[in-house]
PDB file of all heavy atoms in Angstrom:
ATOM      1  N   ILE A   1     -28.208  83.845  93.577  1.00  0.00           N
ATOM      2  CA  ILE A   1     -28.736  85.180  93.432  1.00  0.00           C
ATOM      3  C   ILE A   1     -28.818  85.597  92.013  1.00  0.00           C
ATOM      4  O   ILE A   1     -29.765  86.042  91.516  1.00  0.00           O
ATOM      5  CB  ILE A   1     -27.964  86.192  94.382  1.00  0.00           C
ATOM      6  CG1 ILE A   1     -27.984  85.625  95.757  1.00  0.00           C
ATOM      7  CG2 ILE A   1     -28.361  87.603  94.142  1.00  0.00           C
ATOM      8  CD1 ILE A   1     -27.134  86.438  96.616  1.00  0.00           C
ATOM      9  N   TYR A   2     -27.597  85.576  91.289  1.00  0.00           N
ATOM     10  CA  TYR A   2     -27.505  85.961  89.883  1.00  0.00           C
ATOM     11  C   TYR A   2     -27.348  84.722  89.017  1.00  0.00           C
ATOM     12  O   TYR A   2     -26.490  84.171  89.065  1.00  0.00           O
ATOM     13  CB  TYR A   2     -26.340  86.879  89.821  1.00  0.00           C
ATOM     14  CG  TYR A   2     -26.585  88.389  90.152  1.00  0.00           C
ATOM     15  CD1 TYR A   2     -26.270  88.751  91.524  1.00  0.00           C
ATOM     16  CD2 TYR A   2     -27.155  89.283  89.403  1.00  0.00           C
ATOM     17  CE1 TYR A   2     -26.648  89.966  91.877  1.00  0.00           C
ATOM     18  CE2 TYR A   2     -27.448  90.611  89.791  1.00  0.00           C
ATOM     19  CZ  TYR A   2     -27.089  90.938  91.127  1.00  0.00           C
ATOM     20  OH  TYR A   2     -27.435  92.262  91.556  1.00  0.00           O
ATOM     21  N   ALA A   3     -28.558  84.465  88.506  1.00  0.00           N
ATOM     22  CA  ALA A   3     -28.611  83.252  87.620  1.00  0.00           C
ATOM     23  C   ALA A   3     -27.509  83.054  86.508  1.00  0.00           C
ATOM     24  O   ALA A   3     -27.270  84.118  86.046  1.00  0.00           O
ATOM     25  CB  ALA A   3     -29.960  83.131  87.195  1.00  0.00           C
ATOM     26  N   ALA A   4     -27.046  81.905  86.387  1.00  0.00           N
ATOM     27  CA  ALA A   4     -26.029  81.744  85.301  1.00  0.00           C
ATOM     28  C   ALA A   4     -26.528  81.873  83.996  1.00  0.00           C
ATOM     29  O   ALA A   4     -27.733  81.845  83.743  1.00  0.00           O
ATOM     30  CB  ALA A   4     -25.546  80.296  85.422  1.00  0.00           C
ATOM     31  N   PRO A   5     -25.707  82.527  83.072  1.00  0.00           N
ATOM     32  CA  PRO A   5     -26.197  82.831  81.824  1.00  0.00           C
ATOM     33  C   PRO A   5     -26.918  81.703  81.072  1.00  0.00           C
ATOM     34  O   PRO A   5     -27.875  81.760  80.280  1.00  0.00           O
ATOM     35  CB  PRO A   5     -24.885  83.180  80.944  1.00  0.00           C
ATOM     36  CG  PRO A   5     -23.983  83.818  82.052  1.00  0.00           C
ATOM     37  CD  PRO A   5     -24.327  82.793  83.277  1.00  0.00           C
ATOM     38  N   GLU A   6     -26.430  80.523  81.205  1.00  0.00           N
ATOM     39  CA  GLU A   6     -27.008  79.377  80.516  1.00  0.00           C
ATOM     40  C   GLU A   6     -28.508  79.156  81.107  1.00  0.00           C
ATOM     41  O   GLU A   6     -29.416  78.607  80.268  1.00  0.00           O
ATOM     42  CB  GLU A   6     -26.199  78.089  80.651  1.00  0.00           C
ATOM     43  CG  GLU A   6     -26.038  77.612  82.190  1.00  0.00           C
ATOM     44  CD  GLU A   6     -24.639  78.185  82.793  1.00  0.00           C
ATOM     45  OE1 GLU A   6     -24.181  79.284  82.239  1.00  0.00           O
ATOM     46  OE2 GLU A   6     -24.150  77.564  83.610  1.00  0.00           O
ATOM     47  N   ILE A   7     -28.807  79.478  82.328  1.00  0.00           N
ATOM     48  CA  ILE A   7     -30.052  79.390  82.852  1.00  0.00           C
ATOM     49  C   ILE A   7     -31.014  80.380  82.231  1.00  0.00           C
ATOM     50  O   ILE A   7     -32.166  80.166  81.857  1.00  0.00           O
ATOM     51  CB  ILE A   7     -30.165  79.342  84.317  1.00  0.00           C
ATOM     52  CG1 ILE A   7     -29.520  78.187  84.950  1.00  0.00           C
ATOM     53  CG2 ILE A   7     -31.536  79.668  84.919  1.00  0.00           C
ATOM     54  CD1 ILE A   7     -29.435  78.214  86.408  1.00  0.00           C
ATOM     55  N   LEU A   8     -30.460  81.643  82.249  1.00  0.00           N
ATOM     56  CA  LEU A   8     -31.331  82.727  81.710  1.00  0.00           C
ATOM     57  C   LEU A   8     -31.533  82.470  80.100  1.00  0.00           C
ATOM     58  O   LEU A   8     -32.590  82.955  79.676  1.00  0.00           O
ATOM     59  CB  LEU A   8     -30.488  84.036  81.789  1.00  0.00           C
ATOM     60  CG  LEU A   8     -30.392  84.508  83.274  1.00  0.00           C
ATOM     61  CD1 LEU A   8     -29.505  85.854  83.427  1.00  0.00           C
ATOM     62  CD2 LEU A   8     -31.696  84.765  84.024  1.00  0.00           C
ATOM     63  N   ALA A   9     -30.677  81.843  79.467  1.00  0.00           N
ATOM     64  CA  ALA A   9     -30.768  81.600  78.011  1.00  0.00           C
ATOM     65  C   ALA A   9     -32.008  80.773  77.766  1.00  0.00           C
ATOM     66  O   ALA A   9     -32.644  80.721  76.763  1.00  0.00           O
ATOM     67  CB  ALA A   9     -29.590  80.914  77.468  1.00  0.00           C
ATOM     68  N   LYS A  10     -32.368  79.903  78.857  1.00  0.00           N
ATOM     69  CA  LYS A  10     -33.509  78.854  78.644  1.00  0.00           C
ATOM     70  C   LYS A  10     -34.870  79.451  79.284  1.00  0.00           C
ATOM     71  O   LYS A  10     -35.801  78.792  79.418  1.00  0.00           O
ATOM     72  CB  LYS A  10     -33.077  77.498  79.190  1.00  0.00           C
ATOM     73  CG  LYS A  10     -32.115  76.890  78.511  1.00  0.00           C
ATOM     74  CD  LYS A  10     -31.918  75.358  78.921  1.00  0.00           C
ATOM     75  CE  LYS A  10     -31.384  75.313  80.229  1.00  0.00           C
ATOM     76  NZ  LYS A  10     -31.270  73.804  80.771  1.00  0.00           N
ATOM     77  N   SER A  11     -34.695  80.721  79.835  1.00  0.00           N
ATOM     78  CA  SER A  11     -35.782  81.244  80.624  1.00  0.00           C
ATOM     79  C   SER A  11     -36.741  82.134  79.679  1.00  0.00           C
ATOM     80  O   SER A  11     -36.276  82.544  78.566  1.00  0.00           O
ATOM     81  CB  SER A  11     -35.319  82.078  81.709  1.00  0.00           C
ATOM     82  OG  SER A  11     -34.503  81.368  82.540  1.00  0.00           O
ATOM     83  N   GLN A  12     -38.056  82.250  80.089  1.00  0.00           N
ATOM     84  CA  GLN A  12     -38.971  82.933  79.221  1.00  0.00           C
ATOM     85  C   GLN A  12     -39.505  84.259  79.975  1.00  0.00           C
ATOM     86  O   GLN A  12     -39.422  84.148  81.291  1.00  0.00           O
ATOM     87  CB  GLN A  12     -40.164  82.055  78.869  1.00  0.00           C
ATOM     88  CG  GLN A  12     -39.782  80.703  78.170  1.00  0.00           C
ATOM     89  CD  GLN A  12     -41.057  79.871  78.091  1.00  0.00           C
ATOM     90  OE1 GLN A  12     -42.064  80.210  77.648  1.00  0.00           O
ATOM     91  NE2 GLN A  12     -40.980  78.515  78.468  1.00  0.00           N
ATOM     92  N   PHE A  13     -39.802  85.182  79.251  1.00  0.00           N
ATOM     93  CA  PHE A  13     -40.424  86.368  79.995  1.00  0.00           C
ATOM     94  C   PHE A  13     -42.016  86.066  80.037  1.00  0.00           C
ATOM     95  O   PHE A  13     -42.521  85.519  79.226  1.00  0.00           O
ATOM     96  CB  PHE A  13     -40.108  87.647  79.239  1.00  0.00           C
ATOM     97  CG  PHE A  13     -38.676  87.962  79.228  1.00  0.00           C
ATOM     98  CD1 PHE A  13     -38.067  88.893  78.278  1.00  0.00           C
ATOM     99  CD2 PHE A  13     -37.733  87.439  80.133  1.00  0.00           C
ATOM    100  CE1 PHE A  13     -36.818  89.314  78.281  1.00  0.00           C
ATOM    101  CE2 PHE A  13     -36.468  87.871  80.174  1.00  0.00           C
ATOM    102  CZ  PHE A  13     -35.902  88.792  79.263  1.00  0.00           C
ATOM    103  N   GLN A  14     -42.539  86.731  81.093  1.00  0.00           N
ATOM    104  CA  GLN A  14     -43.859  86.750  81.059  1.00  0.00           C
ATOM    105  C   GLN A  14     -44.690  87.787  80.067  1.00  0.00           C
ATOM    106  O   GLN A  14     -44.267  88.716  79.935  1.00  0.00           O
ATOM    107  CB  GLN A  14     -44.440  87.043  82.556  1.00  0.00           C
ATOM    108  CG  GLN A  14     -45.874  86.774  82.908  1.00  0.00           C
ATOM    109  CD  GLN A  14     -46.090  86.914  84.362  1.00  0.00           C
ATOM    110  OE1 GLN A  14     -45.934  88.022  84.908  1.00  0.00           O
ATOM    111  NE2 GLN A  14     -46.462  85.863  85.022  1.00  0.00           N
ATOM    112  N   GLU A  15     -45.744  87.195  79.467  1.00  0.00           N
ATOM    113  CA  GLU A  15     -46.479  87.977  78.515  1.00  0.00           C
ATOM    114  C   GLU A  15     -47.873  87.988  78.879  1.00  0.00           C
ATOM    115  O   GLU A  15     -48.382  87.175  79.721  1.00  0.00           O
ATOM    116  CB  GLU A  15     -46.330  87.498  77.066  1.00  0.00           C
ATOM    117  CG  GLU A  15     -44.885  87.305  76.644  1.00  0.00           C
ATOM    118  CD  GLU A  15     -44.812  86.663  75.320  1.00  0.00           C
ATOM    119  OE1 GLU A  15     -45.867  86.135  74.818  1.00  0.00           O
ATOM    120  OE2 GLU A  15     -43.618  86.409  74.782  1.00  0.00           O
ATOM    121  N   GLU A  16     -48.687  88.929  78.316  1.00  0.00           N
ATOM    122  CA  GLU A  16     -50.139  89.081  78.568  1.00  0.00           C
ATOM    123  C   GLU A  16     -50.819  87.957  78.108  1.00  0.00           C
ATOM    124  O   GLU A  16     -50.623  87.541  76.894  1.00  0.00           O
ATOM    125  CB  GLU A  16     -50.670  90.401  78.165  1.00  0.00           C
ATOM    126  CG  GLU A  16     -52.137  90.634  78.524  1.00  0.00           C
ATOM    127  CD  GLU A  16     -52.550  92.064  78.100  1.00  0.00           C
ATOM    128  OE1 GLU A  16     -51.816  92.843  77.615  1.00  0.00           O
ATOM    129  OE2 GLU A  16     -53.923  92.176  78.233  1.00  0.00           O
ATOM    130  N   LEU A  17     -51.620  87.289  78.858  1.00  0.00           N
ATOM    131  CA  LEU A  17     -52.482  86.162  78.489  1.00  0.00           C
ATOM    132  C   LEU A  17     -53.807  86.575  77.937  1.00  0.00           C
ATOM    133  O   LEU A  17     -54.232  87.807  78.239  1.00  0.00           O
ATOM    134  CB  LEU A  17     -52.716  85.183  79.618  1.00  0.00           C
ATOM    135  CG  LEU A  17     -51.559  84.645  80.343  1.00  0.00           C
ATOM    136  CD1 LEU A  17     -51.837  83.919  81.572  1.00  0.00           C
ATOM    137  CD2 LEU A  17     -50.727  83.723  79.467  1.00  0.00           C
ATOM    138  N   THR A  18     -54.521  85.798  77.070  1.00  0.00           N
ATOM    139  CA  THR A  18     -55.710  86.199  76.549  1.00  0.00           C
ATOM    140  C   THR A  18     -56.775  86.069  77.775  1.00  0.00           C
ATOM    141  O   THR A  18     -56.485  85.336  78.690  1.00  0.00           O
ATOM    142  CB  THR A  18     -56.254  85.208  75.404  1.00  0.00           C
ATOM    143  OG1 THR A  18     -56.270  83.963  75.898  1.00  0.00           O
ATOM    144  CG2 THR A  18     -55.253  85.289  74.221  1.00  0.00           C
ATOM    145  N   VAL A  19     -57.983  86.647  77.618  1.00  0.00           N
ATOM    146  CA  VAL A  19     -58.945  86.653  78.605  1.00  0.00           C
ATOM    147  C   VAL A  19     -59.423  85.110  78.704  1.00  0.00           C
ATOM    148  O   VAL A  19     -59.537  84.642  79.890  1.00  0.00           O
ATOM    149  CB  VAL A  19     -60.105  87.492  78.229  1.00  0.00           C
ATOM    150  CG1 VAL A  19     -61.247  87.406  79.306  1.00  0.00           C
ATOM    151  CG2 VAL A  19     -59.742  89.031  78.313  1.00  0.00           C
ATOM    152  N   GLN A  20     -59.582  84.449  77.632  1.00  0.00           N
ATOM    153  CA  GLN A  20     -59.974  83.090  77.691  1.00  0.00           C
ATOM    154  C   GLN A  20     -59.009  82.162  78.376  1.00  0.00           C
ATOM    155  O   GLN A  20     -59.238  81.271  79.169  1.00  0.00           O
ATOM    156  CB  GLN A  20     -60.233  82.501  76.297  1.00  0.00           C
ATOM    157  CG  GLN A  20     -61.426  83.170  75.483  1.00  0.00           C
ATOM    158  CD  GLN A  20     -61.092  84.635  74.877  1.00  0.00           C
ATOM    159  OE1 GLN A  20     -59.885  85.054  74.905  1.00  0.00           O
ATOM    160  NE2 GLN A  20     -62.184  85.258  74.468  1.00  0.00           N
ATOM    161  N   SER A  21     -57.742  82.450  78.186  1.00  0.00           N
ATOM    162  CA  SER A  21     -56.749  81.743  78.886  1.00  0.00           C
ATOM    163  C   SER A  21     -56.585  81.893  80.303  1.00  0.00           C
ATOM    164  O   SER A  21     -56.578  80.874  81.163  1.00  0.00           O
ATOM    165  CB  SER A  21     -55.305  82.115  78.302  1.00  0.00           C
ATOM    166  OG  SER A  21     -54.226  81.351  78.984  1.00  0.00           O
ATOM    167  N   VAL A  22     -56.845  83.176  80.731  1.00  0.00           N
ATOM    168  CA  VAL A  22     -56.971  83.437  82.286  1.00  0.00           C
ATOM    169  C   VAL A  22     -58.080  82.720  82.918  1.00  0.00           C
ATOM    170  O   VAL A  22     -57.888  82.204  83.924  1.00  0.00           O
ATOM    171  CB  VAL A  22     -57.063  85.044  82.425  1.00  0.00           C
ATOM    172  CG1 VAL A  22     -57.194  85.264  83.981  1.00  0.00           C
ATOM    173  CG2 VAL A  22     -55.707  85.646  82.026  1.00  0.00           C
ATOM    174  N   GLN A  23     -59.170  82.840  82.144  1.00  0.00           N
ATOM    175  CA  GLN A  23     -60.428  82.149  82.682  1.00  0.00           C
ATOM    176  C   GLN A  23     -60.222  80.640  82.772  1.00  0.00           C
ATOM    177  O   GLN A  23     -60.588  80.059  83.847  1.00  0.00           O
ATOM    178  CB  GLN A  23     -61.588  82.517  81.839  1.00  0.00           C
ATOM    179  CG  GLN A  23     -62.016  83.908  81.933  1.00  0.00           C
ATOM    180  CD  GLN A  23     -63.083  84.323  80.778  1.00  0.00           C
ATOM    181  OE1 GLN A  23     -63.267  83.472  79.818  1.00  0.00           O
ATOM    182  NE2 GLN A  23     -63.830  85.460  81.076  1.00  0.00           N
ATOM    183  N   ALA A  24     -59.622  80.054  81.735  1.00  0.00           N
ATOM    184  CA  ALA A  24     -59.362  78.560  81.751  1.00  0.00           C
ATOM    185  C   ALA A  24     -58.378  78.143  82.889  1.00  0.00           C
ATOM    186  O   ALA A  24     -58.677  77.212  83.531  1.00  0.00           O
ATOM    187  CB  ALA A  24     -58.895  78.115  80.378  1.00  0.00           C
ATOM    188  N   ARG A  25     -57.252  79.003  83.027  1.00  0.00           N
ATOM    189  CA  ARG A  25     -56.388  78.681  84.104  1.00  0.00           C
ATOM    190  C   ARG A  25     -57.034  78.804  85.552  1.00  0.00           C
ATOM    191  O   ARG A  25     -56.731  77.915  86.348  1.00  0.00           O
ATOM    192  CB  ARG A  25     -55.240  79.693  83.915  1.00  0.00           C
ATOM    193  CG  ARG A  25     -54.300  79.310  82.686  1.00  0.00           C
ATOM    194  CD  ARG A  25     -53.448  80.517  82.470  1.00  0.00           C
ATOM    195  NE  ARG A  25     -52.455  80.303  81.413  1.00  0.00           N
ATOM    196  CZ  ARG A  25     -51.244  80.327  81.427  1.00  0.00           C
ATOM    197  NH1 ARG A  25     -50.682  80.413  82.667  1.00  0.00           N
ATOM    198  NH2 ARG A  25     -50.256  80.027  80.461  1.00  0.00           N
ATOM    199  N   ARG A  26     -57.930  79.775  85.701  1.00  0.00           N
ATOM    200  CA  ARG A  26     -58.546  79.877  86.993  1.00  0.00           C
ATOM    201  C   ARG A  26     -59.373  78.798  87.381  1.00  0.00           C
ATOM    202  O   ARG A  26     -59.592  78.325  88.496  1.00  0.00           O
ATOM    203  CB  ARG A  26     -59.228  81.234  87.071  1.00  0.00           C
ATOM    204  CG  ARG A  26     -58.216  82.293  87.359  1.00  0.00           C
ATOM    205  CD  ARG A  26     -58.801  83.786  87.326  1.00  0.00           C
ATOM    206  NE  ARG A  26     -57.813  84.752  87.640  1.00  0.00           N
ATOM    207  CZ  ARG A  26     -57.970  86.087  87.425  1.00  0.00           C
ATOM    208  NH1 ARG A  26     -59.074  86.606  86.833  1.00  0.00           N
ATOM    209  NH2 ARG A  26     -57.065  86.857  87.906  1.00  0.00           N
ATOM    210  N   ARG A  27     -60.186  78.246  86.240  1.00  0.00           N
ATOM    211  CA  ARG A  27     -61.123  77.255  86.343  1.00  0.00           C
ATOM    212  C   ARG A  27     -60.286  75.984  86.675  1.00  0.00           C
ATOM    213  O   ARG A  27     -60.621  75.070  87.699  1.00  0.00           O
ATOM    214  CB  ARG A  27     -61.778  76.876  85.162  1.00  0.00           C
ATOM    215  CG  ARG A  27     -63.096  77.925  84.811  1.00  0.00           C
ATOM    216  CD  ARG A  27     -63.955  77.464  83.710  1.00  0.00           C
ATOM    217  NE  ARG A  27     -63.208  77.124  82.495  1.00  0.00           N
ATOM    218  CZ  ARG A  27     -63.123  78.050  81.501  1.00  0.00           C
ATOM    219  NH1 ARG A  27     -63.729  79.175  81.696  1.00  0.00           N
ATOM    220  NH2 ARG A  27     -62.581  77.788  80.344  1.00  0.00           N
ATOM    221  N   ILE A  28     -59.049  75.820  86.116  1.00  0.00           N
ATOM    222  CA  ILE A  28     -58.182  74.689  86.481  1.00  0.00           C
ATOM    223  C   ILE A  28     -57.745  74.697  87.860  1.00  0.00           C
ATOM    224  O   ILE A  28     -57.828  73.694  88.688  1.00  0.00           O
ATOM    225  CB  ILE A  28     -56.998  74.662  85.513  1.00  0.00           C
ATOM    226  CG1 ILE A  28     -57.413  74.128  84.179  1.00  0.00           C
ATOM    227  CG2 ILE A  28     -55.898  73.686  86.095  1.00  0.00           C
ATOM    228  CD1 ILE A  28     -56.431  74.359  83.042  1.00  0.00           C
ATOM    229  N   ILE A  29     -57.437  75.818  88.415  1.00  0.00           N
ATOM    230  CA  ILE A  29     -56.948  76.060  89.749  1.00  0.00           C
ATOM    231  C   ILE A  29     -58.057  75.716  90.688  1.00  0.00           C
ATOM    232  O   ILE A  29     -57.885  75.170  91.760  1.00  0.00           O
ATOM    233  CB  ILE A  29     -56.358  77.448  90.042  1.00  0.00           C
ATOM    234  CG1 ILE A  29     -55.067  77.707  89.312  1.00  0.00           C
ATOM    235  CG2 ILE A  29     -56.117  77.793  91.441  1.00  0.00           C
ATOM    236  CD1 ILE A  29     -54.448  79.060  89.284  1.00  0.00           C
ATOM    237  N   SER A  30     -59.185  76.218  90.436  1.00  0.00           N
ATOM    238  CA  SER A  30     -60.444  75.953  91.192  1.00  0.00           C
ATOM    239  C   SER A  30     -60.738  74.415  91.234  1.00  0.00           C
ATOM    240  O   SER A  30     -61.087  73.886  92.313  1.00  0.00           O
ATOM    241  CB  SER A  30     -61.668  76.741  90.701  1.00  0.00           C
ATOM    242  OG  SER A  30     -62.832  76.526  91.476  1.00  0.00           O
ATOM    243  N   SER A  31     -60.593  73.768  90.244  1.00  0.00           N
ATOM    244  CA  SER A  31     -60.827  72.331  90.107  1.00  0.00           C
ATOM    245  C   SER A  31     -59.840  71.621  91.007  1.00  0.00           C
ATOM    246  O   SER A  31     -60.207  70.674  91.658  1.00  0.00           O
ATOM    247  CB  SER A  31     -60.777  71.898  88.633  1.00  0.00           C
ATOM    248  OG  SER A  31     -60.919  70.489  88.509  1.00  0.00           O
ATOM    249  N   LEU A  32     -58.544  72.060  90.937  1.00  0.00           N
ATOM    250  CA  LEU A  32     -57.570  71.340  91.713  1.00  0.00           C
ATOM    251  C   LEU A  32     -57.867  71.621  93.173  1.00  0.00           C
ATOM    252  O   LEU A  32     -57.653  70.529  94.002  1.00  0.00           O
ATOM    253  CB  LEU A  32     -56.189  71.965  91.449  1.00  0.00           C
ATOM    254  CG  LEU A  32     -55.630  71.696  89.930  1.00  0.00           C
ATOM    255  CD1 LEU A  32     -54.306  72.539  89.827  1.00  0.00           C
ATOM    256  CD2 LEU A  32     -55.342  70.279  89.701  1.00  0.00           C
ATOM    257  N   ALA A  33     -58.327  72.735  93.489  1.00  0.00           N
ATOM    258  CA  ALA A  33     -58.581  72.966  94.976  1.00  0.00           C
ATOM    259  C   ALA A  33     -59.846  72.110  95.421  1.00  0.00           C
ATOM    260  O   ALA A  33     -59.725  71.597  96.603  1.00  0.00           O
ATOM    261  CB  ALA A  33     -59.011  74.502  95.131  1.00  0.00           C
ATOM    262  N   LYS A  34     -60.740  72.031  94.573  1.00  0.00           N
ATOM    263  CA  LYS A  34     -61.896  71.032  94.989  1.00  0.00           C
ATOM    264  C   LYS A  34     -61.404  69.606  95.097  1.00  0.00           C
ATOM    265  O   LYS A  34     -61.886  68.884  96.179  1.00  0.00           O
ATOM    266  CB  LYS A  34     -63.039  71.130  93.879  1.00  0.00           C
ATOM    267  CG  LYS A  34     -63.742  72.539  93.856  1.00  0.00           C
ATOM    268  CD  LYS A  34     -64.770  72.506  92.795  1.00  0.00           C
ATOM    269  CE  LYS A  34     -65.602  73.942  92.805  1.00  0.00           C
ATOM    270  NZ  LYS A  34     -66.398  74.104  91.631  1.00  0.00           N
ATOM    271  N   ILE A  35     -60.583  69.153  94.119  1.00  0.00           N
ATOM    272  CA  ILE A  35     -60.034  67.813  94.319  1.00  0.00           C
ATOM    273  C   ILE A  35     -59.223  67.624  95.574  1.00  0.00           C
ATOM    274  O   ILE A  35     -59.453  66.654  96.319  1.00  0.00           O
ATOM    275  CB  ILE A  35     -59.221  67.366  93.146  1.00  0.00           C
ATOM    276  CG1 ILE A  35     -60.053  67.380  91.867  1.00  0.00           C
ATOM    277  CG2 ILE A  35     -58.407  66.084  93.245  1.00  0.00           C
ATOM    278  CD1 ILE A  35     -59.235  67.177  90.518  1.00  0.00           C
TER     279      ILE A  35
END
């Protein structure tokens, strides 16, 4: 439930992605679905 400090120390926070990155990621997900 409460992650250990050493786990949190290696964790990353979510940040806003660029529009191009979001579009590329969605194309990848769509491609995976088709495969």
Side-chain angles (χ1 to χ4, degrees):
I1 299 175
Y2 282 89
E6 57 269 24
I7 289 177
L8 294 178
K10 293 192 293 183
S11 298
Q12 306 175 49
F13 293 162
Q14 197 169 58
E15 299 173 1
E16 184 174 352
L17 303 171
T18 65
V19 173
Q20 292 77 11
S21 177
V22 172
Q23 291 173 340
R25 288 163 177 248
R26 286 178 173 160
R27 284 196 299 270
I28 287 173
I29 290 172
S30 178
S31 174
L32 295 174
K34 290 179 181 177
I35 295 172

